[in-house]
């Protein structure tokens, strides 16, 4: 298995629930290491640019509104198969369809406020990590 990096965001709903620690703990227990992290309150421009692939979708405006509604924690996770592993830990986009024990099943209420983001491919991981972090903000360990 290849060592990968992936971009994770703890979204405003999960930050508001004081669940930052519990969510990061799940990553660590699954063998993923946090190699970069920061808390940000995204601007509309930052959130819209991050989700640019969804610009034409009907939910785009709500998505940007939600992602700018409060602070988020962005992290780079590193480990074997990190991209797929993180997506497995997160569960399905719609928390009502997320498998029991996944982050979205346990912390998310709705498809709009669904607790976490994770890169969905090596190409998006590369773009998304670079979107939030410069090379000198990532600490391999
Ligand atoms: P994310 O990008 O946030 O990790 O979520 P995802 O890959 O599981 O889902 P994606 O298709 O990339 O959608 C991004 C976010 O847009 C919202 N969404 N709403 N109302 C809807 O049908 C709908 N579909 C997607 C979700 O909040 C999703 O996380
Ligand atoms: Mg996505």
């Amino acid at each position: 298995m290849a060592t990968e990096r992936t971009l994770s965001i703890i979204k405003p709903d999960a930050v508001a629930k004081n669940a930052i620690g519990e969510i990061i703990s799940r990553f660590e227990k699954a063998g993923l290491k946090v190699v970069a992290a920061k808390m940000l309150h995204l601007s509309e421009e930052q959130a819209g640019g991050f989700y640019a692939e969804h610009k034409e979708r009907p939910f785009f405006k709500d998505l940007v509104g939600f992602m700018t509604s409060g602070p988020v924690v962005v992290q780079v996770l590193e480990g074997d198969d990190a991209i797929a592993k993180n997506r497995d830990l997160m569960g399905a986009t719609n928390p009502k369809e997320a498998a029991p024990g996944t982050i979205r099943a346990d912390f998310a209420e709705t498809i709009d406020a669904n607790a976490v983001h994770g890169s969905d491919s090596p190409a998006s991981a590369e773009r998304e990590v670079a979107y939030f972090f410069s090379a000198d903000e990532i600490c391999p360990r």
Side-chain angles (χ1 to χ4, degrees), residues 79-101:
D80 284 344
D81 214 12
I83 297 166
K85 195 178 270 185
N86 181 40
R87 297 283 296 189
D88 286 347
L89 292 168
M90 288 163 57
T93 307
N94 186 345
K96 292 182 176 61
E97 292 163 11

Side-chain angles (χ1 to χ4, degrees), residues 14-99:
V15 172
K17 279 184 182 163
N18 233 7
I20 297 169
E22 283 193 65
I23 291 173
I24 291 179
S25 173
R26 292 187 181 206
F27 299 144
E28 293 186 330
K29 283 179 181 146
L32 297 174
K33 292 178 179 175
V34 177
V35 296
K38 60 178 108 171
M39 181 175 268
L40 298 168
H41 194 142
L42 299 178
S43 66
E44 279 193 24
E45 201 175 16
Q46 278 176 308
F50 181 74
Y51 278 118
E53 65 177 308
H54 296 310
K55 210 168 165 184
E56 306 305 328
R57 310 282 287 276
F59 57 80
F60 181 74
K61 199 164 173 280
D62 287 347
L63 177 59
V64 171
F66 168 66
M67 290 300 289
T68 57
S69 66
V72 299
V73 178
V74 292
Q75 311 128 81
V76 180
L77 304 177
E78 186 179 85
D80 284 344
D81 214 12
I83 297 166
K85 195 178 270 185
N86 181 40
R87 297 283 296 189
D88 286 347
L89 292 168
M90 288 163 57
T93 307
N94 186 345
K96 292 182 176 61
E97 292 163 11

Side-chain angles (χ1 to χ4, degrees), residues 5-7 50 53 83 87 117-131:
R5 286 179 180 170
T6 191
L7 194 278
F50 181 74
E53 65 177 308
I83 297 166
R87 297 283 296 189
H117 162 83
S119 307
D120 62 10
S121 68
S124 54
E126 193 172 336
R127 180 187 86 86
E128 292 175 1
V129 167
Y131 192 85

